[in-house]
């Protein structure tokens, strides 16, 4: 391919001219929030739930708090950490945001952490669930959950409820390893036995061979963690293989039973027991309102990602109220510590020590309510801290 | 033994599904020398049509399947006549750029229209669960896939082998210059074949939603698998991709079952080894006569 | 010089080989100017710089030698993890040395895999290269105790360049560093393609049969350039890690290789600047569209690809000849070349 | 007389098709040797076997007494065996200057130089200039080959082969497809090939064959029918039978 | 008799190469034309140009009064051009019968009639193209062109690879074909003697141009013309180029 070199300069001029975009002038009275979430790619639904929830919250509560106008700048990182880092850096340096929030996956949260430290900017993690994220910067707080929180609870619950033999099926990546580790710790310590352990590649179209292994090992229950998007697929194939009929219960952290996919899974999901911090069926008024408003706005049931976003923006609003509108990282992080409130998921607070979330973990079972599938809560473990930190 | 048979059964079903999804690509790539990376978009289209018909309009699943085929085939015709037709003479890299652009647009448009969450198709009860046959667990849905895809394969083979159209198509592939000189309208034959391939993809998308999942990124997520099937099989026949899909399906499932630790490596490693051994694919034609 | 006796056409022609054209000078002056003009966009400029180097690497094998690859991210990834691991374990901390070391690692991989790639058809090359990259990704995921697995490589910092220049939050050091590396390697590549070796690559690409029939050892040349290209890709990966202080599995991703191919197709291969221009266009389009619509930018960038192909390169080239002049006239000379484009939005 | 090129028992089959049967071809050094035969006689296969594109099933090929049967294409060229193609095999995007330069620098062992700018070796430049001059390509030396008139391309095809510095040159239908107006140049170029280079000409054009060759081999069905001087070939009843279908009459 | 095929000032070749600089020829209804010439003189190019498989730079073609210059090859075939390619080009993944049924058009010739002509083909009707011997391939190529029921039959070296007895049979069949209906044939041959008996007229090509044209009868009596143009010696009709 030969291109006339004469074009070089002109092409370059074109490119530069098109690329000449300038940062916007920042007004004094606004507090800017950089919301960096995956809006495209495999994790897009995470980003969309968070974005929806943030928008919903701001509709409900206005865009002014403590005399400051709140402005959210949405950026898509497609769950690629280098994108996250660049976007965060540009938001901080050019757009002068006071808060960076979002972070769909752990590497993305990691990538932004040093920037939060360096620029002294509050970082609110609304989705990513690896335990050590909050230790990466003193300016990080989290409004989602850690996999440890739900995994140890389901481990304890399994032991107490007569489940002796468990086969595990977890995605072969860090969150999956986390879930497995915490579950095993508590389940085996309580006398349970792991009869089969399978790690599923992340990009895996067909669960058949892994499910067959599960079936062959004849456990009382299978512990499952797959990333939120794959839960539906998994349950479909679980039923297809007749595992539901052979009495192998699905237990696990709640990711696999994400509310936004639950209804599509069909009746095979009935009876699955998971531990999680949120269910759309959580029987509180505040949640009913939240679900109703969310459904009205987006025609969809909110999942746990949405709640993470909803609480994240709420936390910021409350913190700003407390600081009287001061939006520097130090003031905000100080205000955040120990903050407690009633969220749609139930009572939650921010651990003053770790800045991580402390919340109730509910044991839920999938049941049919008014013709729709819901995770119906039947047991509550109160004020669970992230076991990744308490252990140390 | 029964375990092995179950795994074999699963592998065959998976392979068959891959074949139906990829066969259209084999057609465009092998017969028409057109690098259609947008193939998966037609599969996703068929899948979504089926999902909407079944879930929202209450059309029975078995009625929706042929409709998915028809819709994707129609979309294929439209796309071929309006867009792809102009690209047959372009360089392969330009075809890549164009069809990837097309996929991007399809993905974003699907996201806009259908949302980014996964979509499931409500299946009739007959297709759910497993039947036990002499201790071999047979999934009903997978059985249906094998039956449908098997019948389709026979139908394709039959069409190719027994009909005048099939003969014309094979003639056009064997030697387009002479076929044309003997009165066969080669572009028309190819266009029809293209549409048929898209229809197959659409049907595959509808059938595969249950096992592979269906979301806006479907065309990109499974592009690699389509390409693997076609390259490993060799793109000049239809038997090649069929055998390759079966081999890969069985190898993938068996690999993941028997050595789960190496599960993810099996399909890639197999592909590399086969392609180094036979660069034109298992059943490809070699250049030298 | 005795051979330049008269102004014979041959002498005149050979004297022109590798001579700098003013357009090239202008291009690089613009690169320098961008340092001053877009001081708030160093980060994306940095990204463009290493992406351009990465694309340059693909250009060497695709644009010159005609070897397609859908797995170039393999070398990028090796470079990226290479630098990260060297820094993490304190083996080589100085970035420039680490850069070289990581490039050499990728080069070694390139040499080994070149034997799998030089034979076969375009399609099988695409798939074999892709397969290699995907296998490496799985390996990196599997050996998570070394690589950090899905979470990415953790706990390393990048030392100041030459012990003097710290990587800053504005990305200034990163940008200058990447641009200098890009320029140096560009010069080397320029030298390479203007050498007899470079010409023989073009010959192989043009007509392999003829190339063999004049005695060119085709396979050896292809192995050599594939290895060099791997070095370039490795260095690009290393720059990525050094400027972002990140290395995660997605460095091996299929999307990275695919994007790279698109970039080169957009810019056009075989004249060295194609990858550079492609990288600029691709990144800027992505940036513009994703800042307008973070959800659906994919649609618009897809549309651009479709239009590019439908309109055709020839016609675009004609437009490209007219458009900048038109733009310059509209903006008036006083604004200079870097004035806000129609889509950029005025400050 | 020494032999420049010799094949001993050369044999090639494609599946059931026996395309070259026990071929013993002898080309004397400095000869102007033509290889003719009706369509399908297997001439192209012979060229492909000689140049290494195809591997024979049996037999040996000797170039100036040296066994080159096992050498790959490019090594045969360096051993001194160059060829032109029946259908031009040129580099569409390269100029004649570059095309010839490639062959010259490869022969002089500079082809792999990667750090030296092209055109900085006087010896290479001089030789390129000489070839361009000789084949009347100097005035188009900087134009892309694809834009050249067909006759010029044909000249370049021959020039490239000569630039490889062959001891033996295989000319495969050098005048094929050249329009009448440009034919003269080609014939002149062929006639003025250096005398010390042995030439094996494969040609249908009997004018060219008989004006050029001092020795003719006739190939029929993959085997050598007869080899002799042009005069005797012209009178040979076997050959006439092959070309005129006189078998029954004769 | 009226001209069935008219070629006017045709300039054609491949890519940049012009093989037929300026070619005109008429073939009348019922006529059998023998096209002779040594290798590489443009015979096959002429056939391919009538079929539409070459690059046409200029000129015009008409078939039975209809201008076919701008028709695609497949349209020309349906308009009445029956082609027996030089390399036979049997579709190798089609059976013998399919090779014909895939292209057949209604008319006087059908597959059954071809089987009458070549009983050997009927024996092998279920065999695939790549399993046939050279002679069988040649028969099939001819049969395949016949079932197109063409107005002009173009045969590019049809006797090559056929046993003498088959050649006689074939030539007899061709004679029959061309005598009935609005049909004519152009037969390219290297082996001139074989078809002199069949052809009405002979055209000899040299470098893409006609160097001899005339009825075949005189040539049968006096082969010296053939010798001059087709023989194995230099100095044919045109002056020798200065070399």
């Amino acid at each position: 391919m030969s291109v006339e070199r004469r074009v070089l300069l002109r092409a370059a001029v074109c490119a530069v001219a098109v690329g000449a975009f300038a940062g916007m002038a920042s007004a004094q009275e606004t507090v800017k929030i950089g919301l960096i979430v995956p809006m495209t790619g495999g994790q897009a639904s995470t980003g969309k739930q968070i974005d929806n929830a943030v928008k919903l919250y701001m509709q409900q509560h206005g865009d002014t708090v403590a005399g400051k106008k709140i402005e959210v700048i949405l950026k898509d990182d497609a769950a690629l950490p280098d994108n996250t880092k660049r976007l965060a850096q540009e938001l901080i340096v050019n757009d002068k945001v006071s808060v960076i929030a979002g972070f769909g996956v752990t590497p993305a949260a990691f990538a932004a952490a040093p920037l939060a430290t360096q620029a002294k900017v509050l970082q609110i993690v609304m989705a990513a669930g690896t335990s050590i994220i909050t230790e990466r910067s003193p300016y990080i707080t989290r409004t989602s959950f850690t996999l440890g929180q739900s995994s140890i609870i389901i481990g304890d619950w399994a032991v107490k409820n007569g489940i002796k033999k468990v086969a595990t099926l977890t995605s072969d990546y860090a969150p999956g390893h986390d879930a497995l580790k915490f579950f095993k710790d508590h389940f085996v310590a309580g006398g349970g036995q792991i009869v089969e352990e399978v790690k599923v590649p992340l990009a895996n179209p067909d669960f058949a061979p892994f499910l067959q292994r599960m079936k062959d090992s004849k456990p009382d229950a299978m512990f499952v963690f797959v990333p939120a998007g794959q839960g539906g697929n998994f349950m479909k194939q679980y039923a297809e293989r007749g595992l539901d009929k052979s009495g192998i219960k699905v237990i696990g952290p709640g990711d696999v039973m994400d509310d936004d996919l639950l209804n599509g899974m069909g009746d095979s999901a009935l009876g699955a027991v998971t531990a999680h911090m949120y269910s759309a069926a959580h029987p509180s008024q505040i949640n009913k309102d939240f679900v109703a408003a969310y459904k009205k706005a987006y025609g969809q049931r909110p999942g746990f990602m949405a709640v993470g976003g909803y609480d994240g923006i709420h936390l910021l609003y409350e913190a700003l109220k407390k600081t009287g509108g001061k939006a520097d990282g130090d003031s905000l992080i100080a205000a955040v510590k120990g903050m407690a409130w009633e969220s749609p998921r139930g009572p939650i607070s921010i651990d003053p020590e770790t800045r991580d979330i402390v919340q109730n973990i509910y044991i839920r079972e999938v049941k049919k309510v008014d013709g729709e599938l819901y995770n119906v809560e039947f047991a509550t473990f109160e004020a669970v801290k992230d076991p990744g930190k308490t252990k140390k | 033994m029964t375990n092995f048979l179950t795994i074999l059964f699963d592998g065959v079903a998976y392979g068959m599904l891959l074949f139906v999804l990829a066969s259209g690509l084999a057609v465009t790539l092998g017969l028409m020398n057109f690098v259609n990376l947008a193939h998966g978009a037609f599969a996703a289209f068929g899948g979504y049509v089926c999902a909407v018909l079944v879930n929202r309009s209450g059309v029975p699943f078995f009625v929706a399947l042929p409709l998915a085929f028809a819709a994707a085939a129609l979309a294929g015709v439209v796309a071929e006549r309006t867009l792809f037709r102009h690209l047959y003479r372009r360089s392969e890299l330009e075809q890549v750029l164009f069809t990837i652009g097309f996929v991007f647009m399809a993905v974003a448009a699907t996201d806009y229209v259908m949302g980014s969450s996964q979509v499931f198709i409500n299946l009739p009860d007959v297709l759910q669960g497993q039947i036990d046959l002499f201790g071999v667990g047979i999934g009903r849905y997978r059985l249906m896939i094998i039956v449908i895809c098997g019948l389709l394969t026979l139908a394709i083979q039959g069409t190719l082998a027994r009909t005048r159209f099939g003969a014309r198509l094979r003639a056009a592939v064997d030697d387009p210059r002479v076929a044309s000189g003997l009165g066969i309208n080669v572009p028309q034959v190819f266009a029809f074949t293209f549409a048929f391939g898209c229809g197959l993809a659409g049907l595959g998308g509808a059938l595969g939603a249950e096992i592979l999942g269906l979301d806006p990124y479907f065309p990109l997520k499974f592009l690699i698998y389509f390409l693997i099937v076609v390259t490993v099989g060799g793109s000049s026949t239809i038997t090649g991709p069929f055998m390759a899909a079966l081999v890969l399906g069985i190898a993938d499932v068996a690999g993941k079952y028997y050595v789960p630790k190496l599960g993810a490596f099996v399909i890639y490693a197999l592909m590399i080894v086969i392609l180094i051994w036979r660069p034109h694919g298992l059943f490809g034609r070699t250049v030298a006569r | 010089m005795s051979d330049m006796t008269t102004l014979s056409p041959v002498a005149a022609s050979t004297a022109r080989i590798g001579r700098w054209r003013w357009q090239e000078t202008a291009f690089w002056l613009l690169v320098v100017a961008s340092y001053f003009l877009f001081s708030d966009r160093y980060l994306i400029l940095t990204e463009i710089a290493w992406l351009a180097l990465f694309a340059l690497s693909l250009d060497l094998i695709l644009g010159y030698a005609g070897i397609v690859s859908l797995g170039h991210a393999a070398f990028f990834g090796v470079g990226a993890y290479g630098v990260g691991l060297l820094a993490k374990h304190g083996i080589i901390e100085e970035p420039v040395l680490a850069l070289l070391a990581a490039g050499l690692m990728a080069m070694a991989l390139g040499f080994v895999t070149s034997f799998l790639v030089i034979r076969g058809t375009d399609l099988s090359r695409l798939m074999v290269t892709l397969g290699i990259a995907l296998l490496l990704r799985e390996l990196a995921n599997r050996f998570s105790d070394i690589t950090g697995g899905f979470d990415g490589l953790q706990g390393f910092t990048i030392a100041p360049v030459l012990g003097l220049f710290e990587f800053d939050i504005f990305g200034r050091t990163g940008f200058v560093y990447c641009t200098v590396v890009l320029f140096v390697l560009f010069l080397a590549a320029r030298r390479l393609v203007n050498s007899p070796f470079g010409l023989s690559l073009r010959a192989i690409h043009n007509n392999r049969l003829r190339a063999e029939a004049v005695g060119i050892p085709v396979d050896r040349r292809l192995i050599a350039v594939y290895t060099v290209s791997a070095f370039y890709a490795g260095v690009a990966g290393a720059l990525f890690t050094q400027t972002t202080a990140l290395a995660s599995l997605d460095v091996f991703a299929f999307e990275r290789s695919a994007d790279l191919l698109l970039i080169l197709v957009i810019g056009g291969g075989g004249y060295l600047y194609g990858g550079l221009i492609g990288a600029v266009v691709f990144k800027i389009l992505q940036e513009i569209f994703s800042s307008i619509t973070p959800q659906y930018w994919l649609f618009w960038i897809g549309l651009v690809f479709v239009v590019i192909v439908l309109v055709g390169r020839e016609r675009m080239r004609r437009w490209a000849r007219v458009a900048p002049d038109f733009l310059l006239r509209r903006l008036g000379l006083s604004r200079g070349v870097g004035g806000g484009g129609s889509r950029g939005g005025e400050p | 007389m020494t032999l420049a090129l010799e094949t001993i028992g050369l044999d090639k089959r494609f599946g059931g098709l026996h395309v070259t049967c026990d071929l013993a071809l002898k080309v004397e050094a400095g000869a102007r040797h033509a290889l003719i035969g009706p369509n399908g006689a297997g001439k192209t296969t012979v060229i492909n076997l000689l140049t290494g594109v195809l591997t024979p099933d049996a037999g040996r090929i000797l170039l100036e007494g040296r066994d080159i049967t096992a050498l790959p294409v490019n090594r045969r060229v360096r051993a001194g065996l160059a060829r032109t193609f029946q259908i031009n095999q040129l580099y569409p995007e390269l100029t004649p200057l570059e095309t010839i330069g490639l062959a010259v620098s490869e022969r002089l062992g500079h082809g792999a130089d990667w750090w030296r700018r092209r055109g900085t070796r006087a010896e290479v430049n001089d030789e390129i200039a000489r070839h361009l001059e000789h084949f009347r390509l100097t005035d188009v030396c900087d134009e892309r080959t694809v834009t050249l008139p067909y006759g010029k391309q044909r000249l370049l095809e021959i020039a490239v082969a000569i630039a490889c510095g062959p001891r033996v040159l295989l000319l495969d239908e050098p005048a094929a497809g050249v329009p009448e107006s440009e034919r003269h140049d080609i014939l002149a170029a062929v006639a003025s090939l250096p005398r010390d280079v042995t030439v094996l000409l494969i040609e249908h054009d009997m004018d060219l064959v008989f004006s050029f060759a001092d020795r003719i081999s006739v190939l029929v069905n993959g085997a050598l029918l007869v080899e002799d001087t042009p005069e005797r070939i012209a009178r040979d009843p076997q050959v006439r039978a092959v070309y005129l279908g006189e078998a029954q009459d004769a | 008799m009226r001209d069935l095929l008219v070629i006017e000032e045709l300039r054609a070749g491949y890519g940049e190469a012009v093989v037929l600089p300026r070619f005109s020829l008429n073939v009348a209804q019922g006529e059998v034309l023998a096209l002779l010439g040594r290798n590489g003189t443009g015979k096959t190019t002429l056939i391919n140009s009538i079929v539409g498989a070459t690059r046409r730079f200029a000129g015009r073609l008409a078939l039975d009064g209809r201008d076919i210059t701008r028709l695609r090859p497949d349209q020309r075939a349906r308009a009445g051009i029956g082609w027996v390619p030089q390399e036979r080009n049997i579709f190798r993944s089609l059976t013998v019968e399919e090779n014909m049924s895939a292209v057949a058009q209604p008319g006087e010739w059908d597959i059954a009639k071809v089987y009458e002509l070549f009983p050997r083909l009927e024996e092998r009707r279920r065999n695939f193209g790549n399993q046939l011997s050279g002679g069988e391939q040649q028969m099939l190529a001819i049969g395949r062109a016949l079932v197109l029921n063409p107005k002009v039959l173009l045969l590019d070296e049809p006797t090559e690879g056929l046993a003498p007895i088959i050649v006689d049979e074939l030539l007899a069949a061709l004679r029959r074909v061309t005598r009935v209906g609005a049909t004519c044939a152009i037969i390219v041959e290297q082996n001139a003697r074989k078809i002199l008996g069949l052809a009405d007229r002979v055209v000899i090509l040299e470098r893409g141009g006609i160097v001899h044209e005339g009825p075949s009868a005189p040539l049968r009596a006096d082969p010296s013309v053939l010798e001059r143009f087709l023989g194995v010696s230099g100095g044919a009709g045109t002056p020798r180029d200065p070399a």
Side-chain angles (χ1 to χ4, degrees), chain C residues 166-201:
Chain C
E166 190 101 33
F167 286 100
D168 55 302
I169 193 169
F170 303 100
R172 181 185 290 124
T173 309
F175 172 58
V176 174
Y177 174 58
C178 278
T179 313
V180 168
V181 172
L182 171 66
F183 185 63
V184 169
L185 286 183
F186 173 85
L187 286 183
R190 198 173 177 283
R191 188 86 197 197
L192 188 79
V193 303
N194 282 326
S195 70
F197 175 83
L199 183 63
S200 69
L201 296 179

Side-chain angles (χ1 to χ4, degrees), chain E residues 145-201:
Chain E
L146 286 177
V147 295
L148 271 167
N149 284 297
K151 292 176 180 146
V152 177
L153 199 51
L154 306 172
L155 300 117
D156 204 343
E157 306 201 4
T159 60
E160 198 193 323
L162 293 185
I165 179 108
I166 306 279
V167 172
D168 293 343
E169 227 178 281
L170 170 68
L171 296 179
L174 285 176
R175 162 93 8 220
R176 251 188 295 146
V177 173
T178 48
R179 281 290 172 259
V180 290
T183 314
C184 64
I186 301 179
I187 305 178
V188 167
E189 262 300 346
Q190 279 196 324
N191 209 329
R193 292 291 160 90
K194 276 186 192 163
I195 56 162
L196 278 184
L198 172 68
D200 303 308
R201 188 156 59 113

Side-chain angles (χ1 to χ4, degrees), chain D residues 19-25 34-47 202 216-227 233 239 242-243, chain E residues 39:
Chain D
V19 285
T20 306
C21 328
D22 192 24
L23 182 69
L25 191 67
L35 184 64
I36 64 172
N39 278 352
K43 299 183 294 275
T44 311
T45 307
V46 172
I47 295 214
I202 292 87
I216 296 178
S217 293
V218 183
L219 198 65
V220 176
N221 293 331
L224 199 60
L225 183 70
V226 62
E227 190 212 310
I233 288 288
V239 178
V242 168
Y243 271 85
Chain E
N39 285 349

Side-chain angles (χ1 to χ4, degrees), chain B residues 181-250:
Chain B
L182 290 170
I184 296 174
N185 188 344
V186 176
Q188 199 182 49
V189 169
F190 280 168
F192 189 82
T193 312
F194 182 87
F196 187 74
C198 288
L200 280 182
L203 183 66
L207 286 175
E210 181 74 6
I211 287 178
L212 306 176
L214 186 61
D215 62 49
Y217 285 86
F218 184 94
L220 288 173
K221 247 198 297 192
F222 293 99
L223 176 59
I224 296 177
Y225 292 87
F226 302 155
L227 286 173
I228 291 176
V229 167
V230 175
T231 32
V232 168
S235 51
S236 55
T237 61
I238 209 74
T239 339
F242 178 72
M243 297 306 289
L246 281 189
V247 167
L248 291 170
I250 294 170

Side-chain angles (χ1 to χ4, degrees), chain C residues 9-10 13-14 199 202 214, chain D residues 90-104 118 124 127-129 131-133 135-149 151-157 159-161 163:
Chain C
V10 175
S13 176
T14 51
L199 183 63
R202 288 171 60 202
V214 298
Chain D
L90 296 165
Y91 315 115
E93 300 296 327
L94 267 51
T95 65
L97 176 76
E98 291 170 329
T99 307
I100 293 173
L102 272 164
V104 173
R118 283 189 286 128
V124 176
E127 195 179 327
I128 296 172
H131 290 305
L132 287 172
E133 191 63 40
F135 289 93
R136 303 186 189 183
L137 290 164
T138 309
D139 47 333
V140 293
C141 75
D142 259 343
E143 281 166 38
R144 279 158 64 227
T145 301
V146 70
T147 63
L148 297 181
K152 289 282 186 197
Q153 292 192 23
R154 211 63 197 142
L155 280 174
L156 182 57
E157 177 81 23
V160 176

Side-chain angles (χ1 to χ4, degrees), chain A residues 301-313:
Chain A
R301 204 193 278 181
F304 63 90
M305 297 290 183
V307 179
Y310 195 75
D311 284 333
I313 189 82

Side-chain angles (χ1 to χ4, degrees), chain A residues 112-298:
Chain A
L115 296 168
T117 313
Q118 210 174 341
K120 296 190 176 18
V121 162
L122 180 64
Q123 178 180 356
I124 306 175
V125 177
M126 294 172 167
T130 304
S131 174
I132 53 169
I133 289 175
T134 47
E135 292 169 36
R136 281 305 161 91
S137 164
Y139 295 95
I140 294 183
T141 183
R142 167 153 52 194
T143 59
S144 48
F145 66 102
T146 70
L147 276 165
Q149 285 178 322
S150 38
S151 298
I152 55 161
I153 297 297
I154 196 71
D156 290 342
W157 180 86
V159 172
K160 279 184 207 135
N161 286 273
I163 295 174
K164 298 271 185 310
K165 291 192 290 183
V166 164
T168 68
L169 183 151
T170 51
S171 278
D172 191 6
Y173 76 129
H177 302 164
D178 259 21
L180 177 63
K181 183 172 76 76
F182 286 114
F183 172 76
K184 250 163 88 176
D185 282 358
H186 279 242
F187 181 66
V188 175
Q193 188 196 350
I194 306 281
V195 292
E196 174 74 86
E197 198 178 303
V198 171
K199 289 179 175 160
V200 181
L202 206 48
N204 183 60
D206 189 1
F207 287 100
F210 302 110
L211 282 167
Q212 188 60 38
R213 274 192 96 91
M214 296 284 106
K215 195 176 180 186
D216 294 346
S217 64
K218 302 196 169 50
D220 299 331
M222 55 188 293
F223 174 83
V224 178
F225 172 83
V226 292
Q230 295 182 11
N233 251 11
F234 170 79
M235 284 312 294
K236 285 268 181 178
Q237 296 193 24
Y238 161 83
E240 187 221 336
R241 197 139 299 263
L243 287 158
D244 51 343
K245 306 268 182 338
S246 55
I248 302 173
K249 237 182 204 318
V250 168
I251 61 172
D255 304 63
V256 69
M257 290 294 152
D258 190 355
D259 268 299
D260 76 333
L261 294 179
L262 189 56
N263 245 332
M265 293 181 193
D267 292 351
S268 56
L270 285 174
V273 176
T274 52
H276 212 30
M277 85 307 180
Y278 177 70
S279 160
H282 182 66
S284 70
Q285 191 54 45
I286 184 166
N287 183 49
K288 282 179 184 147
D289 295 345
F290 169 67
V291 172
Y294 192 95
K295 264 192 178 161
K296 187 165 168 250
Y298 308 110

Side-chain angles (χ1 to χ4, degrees), chain B residues 29 87 90 92 94 97-98 100-101 104-105 108 112 227-228 231 261 264-265 268 271-272 275-276 279-280, chain C residues 116 120-124 127-128 131-132 134-135 138 142 254 262 296 298-299 301-303 305-306 309-310:
Chain B
L29 197 64
L87 296 165
R90 299 296 190 81
E92 285 167 10
E94 280 189 305
L97 185 65
F98 182 91
I100 280 285
F104 282 0
M105 291 172 71
Y112 184 75
L227 286 173
I228 291 176
T231 32
K261 278 191 161 47
F265 294 89
Y268 304 134
M271 172 185 78
I272 293 178
L275 286 181
I276 286 164
H280 294 270
Chain C
L116 309 181
T121 62
D122 279 358
L123 193 60
S124 71
M127 297 313 289
V128 168
I132 292 167
L134 291 175
L135 278 182
E138 286 303 327
R142 182 54 45 84
F254 161 66
L262 296 180
Y296 304 115
L298 215 49
F299 182 88
I301 206 158
L303 184 66
F305 294 169
V306 166
V309 177
L310 281 185

